[in-house]
Amino acid sequence: MPPHSGARCPPAPPRARAYMGNVTHAHPAPRAAAAVRAPLDTGASDALGPLPAWDLSDLYRAPDDPALAADLDRAEAEAKAFAGRHAGRLGAMEGDALAAAIAEYERIEERLGRAMSYAQLVFSGDAADPANGRFYQTVQERVTAISSHLLFFTLELNRLEEPALEAKLAASPALARWRPWLRDLRVFRPHQLSDELEKLLHEKEVTGRAAWNRLFDETVAAMRVSVAGEELTVSAALNKLSDRDRAVREAAAKGISQAFGERIRLFALITNVLAKDKEIVDTWRRYPRPTSARNLANMVEDEVVDALVAAVRESYPRLSHRYYALKARWLGLEKLRHWDRNAPLPEEEDRLVPWREAVRRVLDSYAAFSPRLAEIGGRFFERPWIDAALRPGKASGAFAHPTVPSAHPYLLLNYHGKPRDVMTLAHELGHGVHQILAAEQGYLMSGTPLTLAETASVFGEMLTFRAMLDAESDPRRRRALLAGKVEDMLNTVVRQIAFYRFETLLHEERRRRGELAHERIAELWMEVQRESLGPAFELTPDYGVYWAYIPHFVHTPFYVYAYAFGDCLVNALYGAYREGAVPDFEAKYLDMLRAGGTRRHKELLAPFGLDASDPAFWRRGLDVIAGFIDELEAGGV
């Protein structure tokens, strides 16, 4: 997502966990990305220098590459043969034989994952091209059909009784290697349905949630926003919300409101249908509340998430309310409007940061902490693994897609040259480095829960920010840097918890009252925005449609708290690093990233003396933001 939202698109995991939460397979990830067209010619292009576009040939040469068709044919034959050999027989298998079966299952899933990753990337590169949409849908349908033959495997594994499985694990070191994957699979055991229902839900995914996701993506990609007589993509219009000229920001805000307002009934329909779809599945699976499936998939306890949300909401007055009151004074405004939220400070430099300079800043910051991190990060710039160019039809925002361990991640961002774009680069590069390090765990165990997936990305941002701040001696520029970081942290923590609160209210009311009119959705949106932003803002009615552009609500319900989780976690983690209280911090940090999905958050944080189940943990993370605001206040503003 662009900076004004405070969120990027969620990084797609190596393989997507099924929506229902108890099956792992290779069909669509939350969001990924794309065949490359010529960059959009913008006025800033010369100042930014050449922007890279990715080359997806490390996956396949083109959508009609015979290797893609051959991989799908081979995966289909292997999946059918696998089912023929193993369906109904897992309970009688010895541990070593079961371990071999899991390894074979992983190989087939990775082959499907490569095909699906390529289709997602092609589509994200230009979702406005109908050919890309058809290709994405075709591959998605084929992968779903093939993986139906594999569905029995995880269902049957979950039907094994615990004592029987433990006996197999104890007798077989080969099977014991898969213990983390089996552990994560079996947390969904109480919510598993019959084989027939699981197969039905799996096969209907392509005409259900996935189809609504595609409709949302294609609609937003094709939209144009009128700003002062200029027709802009949604991404370009959103970028105008951080323009120095308040009139430009206001024009962009009103253009966005008009563009989404004209289509608000469609976005409300998409939201209502997906919320109802989730309710139906949650009811069948006996999830107690709308957020339960996401928390379980994130391997985080409900009470830990509740503690995070409560801590952030309680801190609104000392964080966002206090900061935005300061900002109103800096801008000389009695009240802020929503188009002022990401306005640059009066002393903030207008200079655009050329791409090469951004790359240097990020890699130097990484290298100062860990030469190993910088070496891995450098690969993304030495090779065509990044798409930063601006062009119509391209997915807005930014993400890192890990693809498969036998290949490498790809990064997508829309680089406009703003300081926040440098932070976005640092963020997505953190994801990419994390994904490369975790790849050694293999396809099934390299993916991290969403709450931990943000660790390396936010840590990379913090490294880059601290390097820039420590190097700055001019008080005015230092204040601008510090304020920019505070805004990013508020966007990542406060704004994402407000998003989470909005989703919670919407889904709960949808379940009580039935379909919600777009006017009611707007009321819920405005309620949480007023609470989180505070009295410094006077929100105009046209802001009521802004919920409609957030892709997280469509692609990955209740994802957004992971950003706040990650930011607070990294604040505490980085504090431990700066204090020098943890011996061999770099080695422990790299080890944490290499773990992928093999360890839970308690195990990962223990070497650093941190515990996310302790309420003081969240206060420590929020205190970092409050401390930055203290410094800004002490500057005599």
Side-chain angles (χ1 to χ4, degrees):
M1 298 295 301
H4 67 283
S5 75
R8 288 93 175 171
C9 292
R15 38 82 188 151
R17 199 177 297 275
Y19 174 59
M20 55 290 294
N22 68 329
V23 184
T24 54
H25 52 78
H27 84 254
R31 174 118 174 165
V36 176
R37 297 198 314 187
L40 178 65
D41 184 18
T42 69
S45 58
D46 291 340
L48 300 181
L51 296 176
W54 56 29
D55 179 352
L56 302 180
S57 60
D58 286 348
L59 297 172
Y60 298 100
R61 292 192 300 272
D64 60 357
D65 187 344
L68 173 58
D71 273 354
L72 291 172
D73 289 344
R74 182 176 176 183
E76 182 172 22
E78 290 175 340
K80 289 178 178 178
F82 182 83
R85 291 194 309 275
H86 299 305
R89 300 179 176 89
L90 301 189
M93 293 173 69
E94 298 294 331
D96 287 353
L98 188 55
I102 296 174
E104 183 181 359
Y105 171 81
E106 180 181 54
R107 287 193 296 272
I108 301 171
E109 286 282 11
E110 182 163 357
R111 196 180 307 281
L112 293 174
R114 176 181 285 264
M116 197 66 247
S117 293
Y118 179 71
Q120 291 171 328
L121 292 169
V122 167
F123 180 67
S124 294
D126 188 357
D129 187 337
N132 288 345
R134 289 192 298 271
F135 172 65
Y136 179 48
Q137 181 71 15
T138 299
V139 174
Q140 184 170 259
E141 290 177 4
R142 183 80 189 281
V143 168
T144 299
I146 294 170
S147 59
S148 292
H149 299 294
L150 302 171
L151 193 60
F152 80 92
F153 190 63
T154 51
L155 299 176
E156 200 169 321
L157 282 172
N158 268 353
R159 283 200 298 270
L160 296 177
E161 294 299 329
E162 203 66 33
L165 180 58
E166 280 300 323
K168 294 177 190 292
L169 286 163
S172 171
L175 183 61
R177 173 184 176 270
W178 297 103
R179 182 183 286 275
W181 181 70
L182 291 166
R183 172 204 65 197
D184 291 351
L185 183 69
R186 288 172 70 81
V187 299
F188 297 98
R189 194 179 180 211
H191 307 285
Q192 184 166 298
L193 304 176
S194 69
D195 288 9
E196 292 78 11
L197 280 175
E198 294 288 3
K199 190 170 189 292
L200 175 65
L201 289 172
H202 175 72
E203 293 184 356
K204 280 186 65 63
E205 178 83 358
V206 293
T207 58
R209 288 189 67 257
W212 290 99
N213 284 188
R214 177 184 169 191
L215 175 61
F216 174 87
D217 286 344
E218 291 187 355
T219 300
V220 174
M223 286 173 62
R224 293 297 178 266
V225 178
S226 180
V227 180
E230 186 179 5
E231 296 299 308
L232 301 177
T233 63
V234 171
S235 175
L238 291 169
N239 187 59
K240 295 285 187 183
L241 294 178
S242 58
D243 195 275
R244 179 170 297 282
D245 188 333
R246 194 178 192 221
V248 172
R249 297 197 304 273
E250 182 177 0
K254 292 182 175 179
I256 293 165
S257 296
Q258 180 178 348
F260 279 90
E262 291 170 353
R263 300 163 178 83
I264 200 62
R265 292 180 63 188
L266 172 60
F267 289 116
L269 175 62
I270 292 171
T271 299
N272 272 288
V273 169
L274 289 176
K276 182 61 179 178
D277 179 81
K278 189 177 191 310
E279 178 189 3
I280 292 169
V281 175
D282 283 354
T283 300
W284 276 88
R285 294 188 181 284
R286 302 179 300 278
Y287 285 119
R289 59 186 191 179
T291 60
S292 297
R294 175 63 60 203
N295 294 347
L296 206 57
N298 284 346
M299 305 301 161
V300 63
E301 300 78 9
D302 285 352
E303 54 269 24
V304 171
V305 178
D306 291 344
L308 165 65
V309 173
V312 175
R313 291 183 69 197
E314 288 169 6
S315 293
Y316 285 169
R318 72 182 181 118
L319 299 181
S320 51
H321 296 186
R322 184 163 61 118
Y323 174 77
Y324 290 124
L326 282 174
K327 184 163 189 175
R329 289 164 53 193
W330 294 336
L331 296 178
L333 299 172
E334 185 175 339
K335 290 285 185 179
L336 298 174
R337 298 292 177 89
H338 69 267
W339 53 82
D340 298 317
R341 186 169 55 81
N342 279 318
L345 299 186
E347 64 264 35
E348 190 171 321
E349 293 182 352
D350 285 328
R351 186 180 76 86
L352 297 178
V353 182
W355 174 253
R356 288 184 179 178
E357 182 179 338
V359 172
R360 178 186 58 76
R361 287 185 182 183
V362 172
L363 287 182
D364 284 354
S365 302
Y366 275 47
F369 168 70
S370 168
R372 176 64 173 154
L373 282 187
E375 182 274 320
I376 297 173
R379 300 177 198 174
F380 287 83
F381 305 103
E382 296 161 2
R383 304 165 193 179
W385 296 358
I386 301 180
D387 190 340
L390 308 172
R391 59 179 181 275
K394 180 181 174 182
S396 62
F399 63 75
H401 191 311
T403 71
V404 292
S406 56
H408 56 78
Y410 283 97
L411 309 185
L412 179 144
L413 55 152
N414 292 270
Y415 190 78
H416 296 275
K418 302 287 182 67
R420 284 186 174 127
D421 292 329
V422 180
M423 293 298 130
T424 296
L425 176 60
H427 181 103
E428 300 306 335
L429 189 66
H431 280 310
V433 170
H434 190 179
Q435 290 157 2
I436 286 178
L437 286 168
E440 66 187 52
Q441 300 296 340
Y443 189 66
L444 293 180
M445 295 192 293
S446 58
T448 56
L450 298 181
T451 44
L452 296 172
E454 293 301 324
T455 303
S457 55
V458 179
F459 196 85
E461 276 192 85
M462 184 64 85
L463 290 173
T464 303
F465 164 72
R466 285 289 191 177
M468 294 170 65
L469 187 68
D470 292 345
E472 184 56 67
S473 57
D474 182 272
R476 291 171 61 84
R477 287 199 292 267
R478 182 179 173 85
R479 185 179 77 164
L481 278 172
L482 192 58
K485 181 59 177 174
V486 167
E487 292 195 11
D488 284 345
M489 296 173 90
L490 293 178
N491 282 338
T492 304
V493 177
V494 169
R495 188 160 171 79
Q496 299 312 310
I497 292 302
F499 283 178
Y500 177 79
R501 176 74 176 152
F502 166 75
E503 282 190 280
T504 302
L505 293 174
L506 185 149
H507 281 259
E508 289 177 347
E509 186 163 324
R510 177 70 171 85
R511 295 183 180 196
R512 290 196 311 270
R513 299 186 179 180
E515 183 166 324
L516 302 181
H518 67 81
E519 294 89 350
R520 179 54 183 158
I521 300 176
E523 289 174 359
L524 295 175
W525 172 258
M526 296 292 273
E527 175 186 333
V528 299
Q529 293 304 310
R530 290 191 184 99
E531 178 192 35
S532 63
L533 293 173
F537 276 87
E538 181 181 331
L539 298 179
T540 53
D542 63 305
Y543 190 51
V545 302
Y546 269 62
W547 58 270
Y549 83 85
I550 309 295
H552 304 69
F553 301 156
V554 173
H555 291 281
T556 45
F558 300 102
Y559 174 91
V560 288
Y561 77 77
Y563 289 111
F565 192 110
D567 201 270
C568 289
L569 186 155
V570 167
N571 287 344
L573 190 66
Y574 191 83
Y577 165 61
R578 293 276 285 195
E579 292 163 7
V582 179
D584 301 318
F585 185 97
E586 178 192 350
K588 291 176 180 176
Y589 179 77
L590 292 174
D591 183 60
M592 178 176 68
L593 301 188
R594 289 191 191 95
T598 61
R599 293 183 235 160
R600 300 283 180 83
H601 64 83
K602 283 185 179 293
E603 298 173 84
L604 288 172
L605 294 176
F608 304 96
L610 302 173
D611 180 3
S613 64
D614 182 355
F617 174 84
W618 301 116
R619 289 195 296 272
R620 180 175 181 177
L622 295 171
D623 285 347
V624 173
I625 308 175
F628 286 162
I629 300 174
D630 290 342
E631 186 174 343
L632 288 168
E633 279 188 325
V637 179

